[in-house]
Amino acid sequence: MSAGDGVPPEGVPWWMRDLGPLAVLLLAGLGLAATHLSADVGLYRHDAEAMLRLPLSAALPSQYPALAGGLFVLVRVLPFAYQDGFAVIAALAMVAMVAAGPSHVARPGWPRRLVVYLALGTVWVLLLRYDVVSSMLALAAVDQARRRRWGWAWCAALIGTGVQLFPALLIPAFFAVEWRERRRPPWLRGLAGACALGAAALAQQLLAPGTLLAPFRYEMRRGFEVWSLPGTLTAVLDPLHLRLVHQFGTFEIVGRYAGSIGLAMDVLALVSLATV
């Protein structure tokens, strides 16, 4: 293939091919982090400072699994202002995704162009939100599964589950595909994964009783952000009984049908993720 096909020369390291997009991403993200205040990162800092004070039962993050607290504390001890340090960690996660990206498509130039577009248009979301870390772990799990490195795929998915829960939806798919390829169920791997999650859950329950289900309780208490899809549905279905409430670091919209809309959106999200 010619260079115009977007295929890099053989033997050229990925970081040399992608240096331009990475530089744009890092400079734009770190510049925004230094000049803007993020409510989300403020919540992460609050959780980190609470964990450093202990006890764990009152300090673990309420909106994320316990493993997230370790990352928040790591950012706290870096020699930067907290928001700048978080942007650095998130940028490193994006670098890792760029490194793995070209193996996912037939035309390797596409992921690098996508990173440039994301850096120019949505770097605020990418580098000042915790979701980039769980996305990196989910991508790593899928990448290893595509390479048929099932042990590493399960490991990345399990760590991702401990970070933000949703990568757990990858595990049944890995189980099914490995079963189909090897003509036998990977019961041992499934048992090891279940034991790992069970041991982590038991340790958290013993060290910080009552915190295991905190992320679920947190989500059940939250309303809808004013610019979200369920928030829009709430406004359309019940425009005469709306309230704006400032909580969880943002403005949320509350209406009479919020419970039904929330349940429908949760079911839709789970079905969609499981289908993908």
Side-chain angles (χ1 to χ4, degrees):
M1 290 186 179
S2 66
D5 292 321
V7 179
E10 291 294 332
V12 178
W14 70 266
W15 58 269
M16 293 183 64
R17 298 192 307 265
D18 303 330
L19 188 59
L22 290 179
V24 171
L25 179 69
L26 293 174
L27 291 176
L30 296 177
L32 280 174
T35 56
H36 293 75
L37 181 64
S38 168
D40 293 299
V41 178
L43 292 175
Y44 307 153
R45 180 177 181 177
H46 176 270
D47 288 339
E49 292 175 346
M51 288 190 68
L52 290 173
R53 289 194 302 266
L54 299 178
L56 284 179
S57 58
L60 289 178
S62 57
Q63 69 270 44
Y64 295 116
L67 193 58
L71 176 66
F72 298 159
V73 171
L74 172 64
V75 177
R76 180 69 175 80
V77 300
L78 291 177
F80 305 104
Y82 192 89
Q83 186 162 302
D84 297 342
F86 188 89
V88 169
I89 295 294
L92 291 175
M94 283 300 301
V95 169
M97 285 193 276
V98 173
S103 68
H104 292 282
V105 292
R107 300 176 69 87
W110 180 83
R112 297 191 294 276
R113 291 195 297 272
L114 177 62
V115 169
V116 174
Y117 302 150
L118 291 175
L120 294 176
T122 61
V123 72
W124 175 260
V125 176
L126 292 176
L127 296 191
L128 293 177
R129 288 294 299 270
Y130 174 66
D131 309 78
V132 69
V133 177
S134 54
S135 298
M136 177 195 67
L137 290 166
L139 178 63
V142 172
D143 181 58
Q144 293 302 304
R146 286 171 61 90
R147 299 169 189 265
R148 301 305 185 258
R149 298 171 180 170
W150 294 111
W152 288 110
W154 280 66
C155 183
L158 288 169
I159 295 174
T161 301
V163 166
Q164 205 175 357
L165 296 179
F166 81 86
L169 293 172
L170 294 170
I171 295 175
F174 292 168
F175 187 95
V177 175
E178 190 175 359
W179 183 354
R180 184 176 62 191
E181 288 191 347
R182 299 189 176 184
R183 305 296 179 88
R184 64 179 184 276
W187 293 119
L188 185 59
R189 207 184 306 279
L191 179 62
C195 288
L197 290 178
L202 179 61
Q204 179 177 342
Q205 187 62 25
L206 291 175
L207 293 173
T211 63
L212 190 59
L213 299 179
F216 298 99
R217 290 195 294 268
Y218 181 93
E219 290 300 326
M220 293 298 293
R221 293 197 308 269
R222 288 198 65 173
F224 306 138
E225 294 187 10
V226 292
W227 49 78
S228 66
L229 174 59
T232 302
L233 292 175
T234 301
V236 169
L237 294 176
D238 191 19
L240 300 180
H241 300 87
L242 300 180
R243 290 185 297 114
L244 286 181
V245 179
H246 188 270
Q247 59 183 4
F248 302 102
T250 187
F251 282 99
E252 297 183 343
I253 191 168
V254 179
R256 287 191 302 180
Y257 304 117
S260 299
I261 293 173
L263 178 61
M265 295 302 297
D266 287 342
V267 171
L268 178 62
L270 289 174
V271 171
S272 300
L273 287 171
T275 301
V276 172

